[in-house]
Amino acid sequence: LSLMFLLISLWIFGLRRTEPAGRAFSILTTSLAIVTGALFDLYTTHQFTYLWTMAATFCGGALIDLGLCFPQESRFLFRYPYLRWFGYAIGVVLSFNAYVKLYDFQDPTAYIGAWQLIYIFVGISALFYFGSLAYRAIWSYSPVVKNQARTILFGALLGFGPMVAWLLFKGNAFNPYLFLPTLLFPLANGYLILRFRLLRTDYWVRQGIVYTLLTAFVVTAYGLLVTGLSIIFSIQIPWNSPYLIGGLAFIIAVFLDPLRTRLQTIVDSTFFRGQRAYEERLRAFSHELTNALDLNTIGRVLREQIASSLVPNCLHIYTYDSLNDQYAALSNGDGRPTSDIRFSSNSPLVQYFQKEKIPLYLDTINPLPMMRAEEARLALLGARLFVALPGEQRPVGWLALGTPLSGGLYTPKDLDFLDNISDQSSVAIARVQTVVDLERRVQEMNALTRVSQGVNITLTFDDILELIYAQASQIIPSSMFHITLYSKAANYFHYAFRVEDNERITGRENQPLPPSLGLGQEIIRKGRPILTQDYERECQIRNITPSAQGIYAWMGVPLNSGSETMGALSVGSSDATVIYTRAQLDLLQAIADQTVGAIVKARLLQETQQRAHQLSTLNEITRQLTSTLEQEPLLRNILENAVNILNCEAGTLFMMDEQTGDLIFRVTAGPVASNLLGQRLPAGTGIVGRAVQLR
């Protein structure tokens, strides 16, 4: 028994040593292991008397500690955390009081009084512990705490009941096997400290009644069989006849299952009529879930079931949004979510559901330490009870319920109901989410395929950029889309494509940008992507002027051509609820890689066309020089072709007066050309005069 106590202690300490309840429980069970294991030595060799005495007092201290912190921390511990050591301090004092009297040969019986004080202390500690459990089992606001307190009390009743019964109605001899059921008490306690799941007490009660009746029926039937055969054949048939036992085993094997099913039906209809209605409701709910094909339909069915059964003052159904890596509330039928509050995939609430398998009840007096970071947001949510919708890698969501409109409290039976419907709902939600994720991935692959095809088919640079924007906006939610390019020869940045609020702003394209305007230039300089959920703050940190206002989530990736970064592709959203993820950043980079090929191809085509145009123009000028004798048309043709070849806005052809050295505006092209004809520039004036002087 001592070894079992010690193993339970090490088991809980290994898994819950960071929690006060786990440490207190380990001290209690270790002390019990020493008390029971050293009991024989206490009456024989007396080698462990000091250790036994200390362990006995620590049993009382650990019971006080456990009563203060489990299944719910007392409100006093938040103000006075040192109170948890109060019981241990008393135990140490009582231990040293006993040490000075254990081997006092002047007064050999003095230790008896010291030990009696220890027994009284342990008894008072036990009363305190079980009293606190009874208080929480009856008056706690949390149905989870109620269920756990009742389960511990039930385990204590089964564990210590036989010993208490013997003490009340004791015979002449004590049976040491009465100690064995005490294992049930630490097992029940340890099971709940691990918080794996709620104990389905109604299920065990139903099964216990059925199998108790079944056992009584089989024993009675066997007795009647032996007695009946003895009377019929007027012979003495032994009760342990192997033939009768074998025959009864055969009958049980054939008829046990139908008999058990029939007996289960009778017990349910007699003692658990409400249970049958409850199971009928679950079956109907399961049937409706089977026909639900989208999240909103599942949410409506789930909402109707909970609202009609528990009537909470508010209800939120949160599901995982893989696109934004967040948990968001479903709509309540009017198309609007029940709450705008969202939770990230690494929030404390999600971490709790990943570790624990039971509902979370937020006590207004004693919030969980890990929940204090979310306390303000959860208060805005208005919910007190949270029930997980379990999934394989992470919870697929959770149910958030306010207090019942009746003004009462949730019962363990309500938790059992929520636990059942959440298990069924999580399977349906996971199925829908899988389908949605697959459809989204197919849409992304189709978009990348269309971009790739468009790059290979379309020759017009502007058409390619329009195609890239159209496909990217379908798979990445955005209100801002920029393609920023860098001109290495002229050393300036410009927008090759700019869309804001879903409208293209051509007036701000192909114009040099001021230095340090927008994060796109930062990406081009460093050749690395940037992902942020607060665009303006990110610009402020990097000492960069934002290129647009009212943008929240933003991400940009470089346009890399080999080892050279030729530009940046960026998207942003003015919707505060949108969050960009690393997966979306990778998707944007894949689109950018396709964009690079289009830009390189378009630039090569443009340069080729421009060079061909220049050569044909030069050929035309040469032909005109040899075919015309009129100077004026020839000079005008030369200037206009020069302006056209160099893609300029204006130009002038000067002729020099050989007598004075002045430069005369002979031919002009541009917006103010007619005002300059015939005017003169003194020799050496301006850039033109300098060029003439330096030849």
Side-chain angles (χ1 to χ4, degrees):
L1 193 66
S2 172
L3 181 62
M4 291 300 297
F5 283 144
L6 186 60
L7 290 175
I8 294 172
S9 173
L10 293 174
W11 174 44
I12 300 301
F13 184 77
L15 296 174
R16 298 294 180 181
R17 60 182 175 274
T18 58
E19 299 180 6
R23 294 192 294 268
F25 177 80
S26 297
I27 294 174
L28 174 63
T29 47
T30 302
S31 302
L32 284 174
I34 295 173
V35 167
T36 53
L39 190 61
F40 178 76
D41 172 79
L42 194 67
Y43 288 98
T44 53
T45 61
H46 315 294
Q47 297 295 317
F48 302 109
T49 305
Y50 287 105
L51 181 62
W52 186 92
T53 303
M54 180 66 76
T57 59
F58 268 48
C59 283
L63 283 171
I64 292 176
D65 188 6
L66 204 57
L68 289 172
C69 66
F70 188 78
Q72 184 181 38
E73 285 198 34
S74 172
R75 70 183 69 180
F76 301 112
L77 291 183
F78 287 93
R79 294 183 180 179
Y80 313 106
Y82 56 84
L83 283 179
R84 69 173 69 251
W85 305 108
F86 178 70
Y88 300 115
I90 296 178
V92 171
V93 172
L94 292 177
S95 297
F96 282 104
N97 177 61
Y99 287 168
V100 298
K101 299 177 181 179
L102 282 177
Y103 295 99
D104 184 2
F105 296 105
Q106 302 299 322
D107 188 2
T109 60
Y111 76 94
I112 297 177
W115 274 3
Q116 286 177 341
L117 287 176
I118 293 175
Y119 300 154
I120 292 172
F121 169 64
V122 173
I124 293 174
S125 301
L127 289 175
F128 171 78
Y129 177 58
F130 291 115
S132 66
L133 285 176
Y135 172 81
R136 286 166 178 150
I138 299 172
W139 286 291
S140 175
Y141 287 97
S142 170
V144 177
V145 173
K146 278 186 176 182
N147 183 283
Q148 290 177 330
R150 291 175 183 178
T151 302
I152 296 173
L153 288 173
F154 185 68
L157 179 63
L158 294 179
F160 298 112
M163 294 182 63
V164 173
W166 181 86
L167 289 172
L168 295 176
F169 310 102
K170 59 184 177 180
N172 295 328
F174 177 77
N175 190 335
Y177 290 106
L178 292 174
F179 271 112
L180 291 179
T182 57
L183 275 174
L184 295 175
F185 171 67
L187 282 174
N189 243 315
Y191 178 86
L192 293 172
I193 287 176
L194 287 178
R195 294 203 281 266
F196 280 131
R197 58 182 64 84
L198 294 171
L199 195 62
R200 303 272 309 272
T201 52
D202 61 329
Y203 172 80
W204 294 110
V205 169
R206 292 171 61 206
Q207 296 301 315
I209 293 175
V210 169
Y211 282 101
T212 300
L213 293 175
L214 200 59
T215 302
F217 174 78
V218 171
V219 172
T220 304
Y222 183 70
L224 292 175
L225 178 64
V226 174
T227 306
L229 291 176
S230 300
I231 295 173
I232 292 173
F233 296 103
S234 301
I235 57 175
Q236 183 68 28
I237 298 178
W239 63 270
N240 57 354
S241 169
Y243 300 104
L244 288 176
I245 293 175
L248 183 64
F250 175 76
I251 295 172
I252 290 174
V254 174
F255 297 104
L256 180 62
D257 190 63
L259 181 62
R260 186 195 63 80
T261 304
R262 180 62 180 167
L263 196 59
Q264 182 80 64
T265 304
I266 295 173
V267 169
D268 289 347
S269 61
T270 305
F271 300 101
F272 299 96
R273 293 179 180 176
Q275 183 70 22
R276 293 184 63 190
Y278 160 75
E279 291 178 352
E280 287 292 336
R281 178 174 292 182
L282 282 181
R283 276 194 289 270
F285 173 69
S286 179
H287 178 70
E288 291 185 27
L289 275 185
T290 305
N291 298 324
L293 301 177
D294 58 83
L295 286 179
N296 289 328
T297 305
I298 294 174
R300 177 184 57 78
V301 173
L302 191 55
R303 185 179 300 279
E304 290 174 356
Q305 191 68 229
I306 296 175
S308 61
S309 303
L310 304 180
V311 199
N313 62 1
C314 69
L315 173 61
H316 307 284
I317 303 172
Y318 273 83
T319 58
Y320 180 66
D321 178 8
S322 59
L323 183 62
N324 294 316
D325 195 26
Q326 291 180 323
Y327 288 85
L330 295 179
S331 63
N332 58 357
D334 59 358
R336 293 179 56 83
T338 55
S339 174
D340 293 331
I341 298 175
R342 295 190 171 207
F343 296 88
S344 64
S345 59
N346 59 354
S347 72
L349 194 58
V350 178
Q351 293 175 8
Y352 173 84
F353 286 133
Q354 286 179 328
K355 294 179 181 178
E356 312 295 351
K357 308 299 181 185
I358 64 172
L360 169 67
Y361 188 87
L362 296 182
D363 194 323
T364 54
I365 300 173
N366 302 324
L368 286 176
M370 65 183 301
M371 288 295 119
R372 287 172 190 163
E374 296 277 14
E375 193 172 0
R377 302 177 73 225
L378 293 176
L380 291 174
L381 202 60
R384 307 308 304 165
L385 179 63
F386 296 82
V387 182
L389 299 171
E392 291 185 3
Q393 297 179 346
R394 63 171 67 86
V396 299
W398 60 79
L399 308 175
L401 291 80
T403 55
L405 287 175
S406 61
L409 302 174
Y410 291 110
T411 64
K413 183 69 177 176
D414 297 334
L415 291 188
D416 188 42
F417 169 73
L418 290 171
D419 192 42
N420 276 302
I421 65 172
S422 65
D423 285 342
Q424 296 185 36
S425 302
S426 61
V427 174
I429 292 173
R431 181 189 69 227
V432 171
Q433 287 179 338
T434 301
V435 173
V436 171
D437 288 344
L438 288 174
E439 290 177 346
R440 179 172 54 82
R441 291 181 183 275
V442 170
Q443 185 183 17
E444 291 173 357
M445 294 304 298
N446 289 338
L448 289 175
T449 302
R450 284 191 288 268
V451 170
S452 179
Q453 292 174 347
V455 167
N456 293 325
I457 296 173
T458 308
L459 296 178
T460 307
F461 182 56
D462 196 68
D463 292 343
I464 293 175
L465 299 185
E466 285 281 2
L467 173 66
I468 292 170
Y469 163 68
Q471 298 303 321
S473 60
Q474 288 183 10
I475 55 179
I476 299 178
S478 62
S479 55
M480 183 185 80
F481 185 91
H482 290 172
I483 296 179
T484 309
L485 297 182
Y486 174 63
S487 178
K488 188 175 182 180
N491 190 25
Y492 71 88
F493 300 91
H494 70 278
Y495 290 125
F497 192 87
R498 175 165 180 152
V499 173
E500 291 183 4
D501 295 328
N502 300 319
E503 290 186 8
R504 184 172 180 182
I505 307 176
T506 56
R508 301 188 63 179
E509 295 175 359
N510 301 314
Q511 295 183 6
L513 296 175
S516 300
L517 177 68
L519 293 176
Q521 298 183 24
E522 185 77 3
I523 293 174
I524 298 172
R525 291 190 189 97
K526 297 185 177 180
R528 292 194 297 268
I530 296 177
L531 172 64
T532 178
Q533 311 304 335
D534 190 340
Y535 174 69
E536 294 186 4
R537 178 173 175 80
E538 187 72 22
C539 290
Q540 184 180 5
I541 293 174
R542 297 174 182 266
N543 197 24
I544 290 174
T545 305
S547 61
Q549 301 296 323
I551 299 299
Y552 296 96
W554 187 94
M555 61 179 174
V557 293
L559 299 171
N560 293 322
S561 178
S563 60
E564 180 185 356
T565 301
M566 61 192 314
L569 175 62
S570 60
V571 296
S573 176
S574 57
D575 186 352
T577 62
V578 172
I579 289 182
Y580 291 142
T581 63
R582 178 60 61 176
Q584 289 174 307
L585 186 69
D586 294 339
L587 180 61
L588 189 65
Q589 184 66 67
I591 296 174
D593 293 340
Q594 299 284 349
T595 307
V596 169
I599 293 174
V600 171
K601 187 180 73 170
R603 281 184 171 179
L604 290 174
L605 180 62
Q606 186 178 13
E607 290 175 1
T608 302
Q609 291 175 342
Q610 184 178 6
R611 185 61 178 165
H613 177 63
Q614 291 173 349
L615 291 175
S616 65
T617 304
L618 290 174
N619 288 334
E620 179 64 22
I621 293 174
T622 304
R623 187 186 63 79
Q624 292 178 7
L625 285 174
T626 59
S627 63
T628 181
L629 297 177
E630 297 183 18
Q631 188 182 34
E632 196 70 28
L634 180 61
L635 294 180
R636 176 167 296 280
N637 195 15
I638 290 174
L639 178 62
E640 289 177 352
N641 281 305
V643 170
N644 188 21
I645 287 175
L646 299 178
N647 193 24
C648 299
E649 293 183 357
T652 303
L653 194 151
F654 295 89
M655 297 295 285
M656 188 172 68
D657 187 341
E658 302 215 356
Q659 294 181 357
T660 62
D662 294 343
L663 294 176
I664 305 171
F665 286 85
R666 186 67 178 273
V667 182
T668 60
V672 292
S674 59
N675 298 330
L676 297 174
L677 286 176
Q679 295 191 25
R680 289 172 174 262
L681 285 178
T685 303
I687 298 174
V688 177
R690 181 72 168 171
V692 170
Q693 287 181 346
L694 298 177
R695 303 185 67 80

